[in-house]
């Protein structure tokens, strides 16, 4: 069970954040509405959500997931984001996290890790090696996890242009069932895992988040919503269009623990 989350408001210059996709420029008012609905959804799932103020120095700051990794009730490690423009985002999230985890560890240079590349699946953790998370960062994280009784495996996604982070294409649902995009479904790291494979035209929604009894998914993906219901999950659909425009998904808007 998650009891807490940290989120961060999108700032006035949110539209200046990084993106590789061509979905248009986000509308600030709609971005703020979608963010508020997301925070409300986490609260409806029973979480105490701390919403940090925006900092105009970091237009991508609302994507807090990339700044820290938490093993709920146990430990936290601060990330060192792979994009130079995002490194400074960590400090504000670290200050909030320290109230729960007084001495978080930290990924050190030359390692880089974006939290969006990390997918926890029970006691196993998939670590994406991406254009943001490098081999040195992945190795540091794997050692940190091993010291805490977790196993991990690396998934190199650098050849997969369709996703920015590993978790753009995978989620772990209750019962340790993986939700996967087709391009990841045959990867040996996931062999033997129970799975739901998302249709190509709904691939964006693979970045879902199980939050206690609900599965948060991006609105507008009816086939996935139906598949989740068929498997006994309770999807909660949220508008995400303005975050998709900056290459972000549902998971990146919070650190949950
Ligand atoms: C970036 O390119 O870094 C942001 N515009 C989007 C980050 C999305 N984060 C995530 O999926 N964990």
């Amino acid at each position: 069970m998650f009891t807490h989350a940290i989120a961060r408001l999108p700032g006035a210059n949110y539209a200046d954040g990084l993106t590789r996709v061509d979905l248009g420029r986000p509308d600030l008012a709609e971005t703020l509405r979608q963010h508020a609905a997301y925070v409300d959804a986490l609260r409806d799932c029973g979480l105490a959500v701390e919403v940090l103020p925006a900092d105009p120095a970091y237009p991508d700051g609302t994507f807090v997931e990339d700044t820290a990794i938490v093993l709920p009730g146990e430990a936290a490690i601060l990330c060192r984001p792979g994009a130079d423009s995002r490194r400074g985002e960590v400090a504000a999230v670290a200050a909030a996290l320290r109230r729960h985890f007084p001495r978080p560890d930290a990924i050190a240079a030359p390692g880089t890790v974006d939290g969006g590349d990390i997918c926890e699946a029970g006691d196993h953790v998939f670590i994406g090696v991406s254009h943001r998370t490098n081999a040195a960062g992945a190795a540091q994280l794997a050692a940190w996890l091993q010291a805490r009784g977790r196993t991990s495996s690396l998934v190199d996604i650098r050849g997969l242009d369709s996703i920015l982070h590993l978790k753009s294409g995978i989620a772990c649902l209750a019962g340790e069932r993986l939700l996967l995009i087709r391009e990841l479904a045959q990867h040996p790291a996931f062999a033997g895992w129970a799975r739901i494979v998302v249709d190509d035209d709904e691939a964006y929604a693979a970045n879902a988040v199980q939050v206690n009894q609900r599965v948060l998914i991006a609105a507008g993906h009816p086939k996935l919503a139906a598949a989740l219901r068929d498997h006994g999950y309770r999807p909660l659909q949220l508008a995400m269009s303005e975050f998709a425009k900056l290459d972000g998904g549902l998971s990146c808007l919070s650190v949950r623990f």
Side-chain angles (χ1 to χ4, degrees):
M1 287 283 284
F2 292 127
T3 53
H4 291 80
I6 295 170
R8 193 173 193 176
L9 282 171
N13 62 350
Y14 166 72
D16 297 333
L18 303 172
T19 193
R20 314 162 310 148
V21 297
D22 192 13
L23 297 174
R25 198 170 163 81
D27 174 80
L28 182 60
E30 181 58 16
T31 303
L32 291 170
R33 272 193 292 276
Q34 293 183 1
H35 193 268
Y38 178 91
V39 170
D40 282 348
L42 291 179
R43 289 184 172 139
D44 287 347
C45 292
L47 276 58
V49 186
E50 181 172 5
V51 183
L52 306 177
D55 180 339
Y58 303 110
D60 282 303
T62 194
F63 299 114
V64 283
E65 176 180 63
D66 294 322
T67 63
I69 297 156
V70 178
L71 301 177
E74 200 177 332
I77 185 164
L78 305 176
C79 295
R80 185 166 178 272
D84 288 346
S85 66
R86 301 198 55 194
R87 294 252 158 91
E89 293 173 20
V90 175
V93 178
L97 261 183
R98 279 195 184 93
R99 290 192 275 281
H100 305 271
F101 302 93
R103 282 178 299 283
D105 293 294
I107 299 294
T112 60
V113 171
D114 276 17
D117 278 316
I118 311 311
C119 179
E120 286 178 47
D123 285 340
H124 189 74
V125 180
F126 299 108
I127 303 175
V129 176
S130 68
H131 296 299
R132 299 290 179 84
T133 296
N134 66 16
Q140 288 177 38
L141 182 62
W144 185 83
L145 289 165
Q146 190 180 18
R148 286 157 186 79
R150 305 310 199 272
T151 54
S152 63
S153 46
L154 301 185
V155 183
D156 190 339
I157 61 158
R158 284 172 294 184
L160 260 186
D161 290 340
S162 62
I163 52 175
L164 173 66
H165 290 116
L166 175 63
K167 239 174 359 203
S168 316
I170 181 176
C172 184
L173 306 176
E176 298 190 8
R177 178 181 279 114
L178 302 179
L179 192 58
L180 292 158
I181 58 169
R182 188 181 44 79
E183 293 105 308
L184 288 174
Q186 299 313 319
H187 193 288
F190 309 121
W193 287 78
R195 61 190 50 209
I196 297 172
V197 179
V198 184
D199 284 355
D200 285 357
D201 60 344
E202 294 197 357
Y204 176 73
N207 178 252
V209 188
Q210 177 94 43
V211 181
N212 300 340
Q213 308 308 320
R214 306 300 302 266
V215 180
L216 276 48
I217 67 166
H221 302 89
K223 290 184 286 184
L224 177 60
L228 289 171
R229 282 190 209 99
D230 287 348
H231 282 85
Y233 296 105
R234 294 174 59 208
L236 196 168
Q237 304 185 48
L238 291 168
M240 290 295 296
S241 61
E242 305 316 289
F243 300 107
K245 290 173 181 173
L246 284 202
D247 235 346
L250 256 161
S251 71
C252 24
L253 294 181
S254 59
V255 178
R256 303 154 297 276
F257 51 97

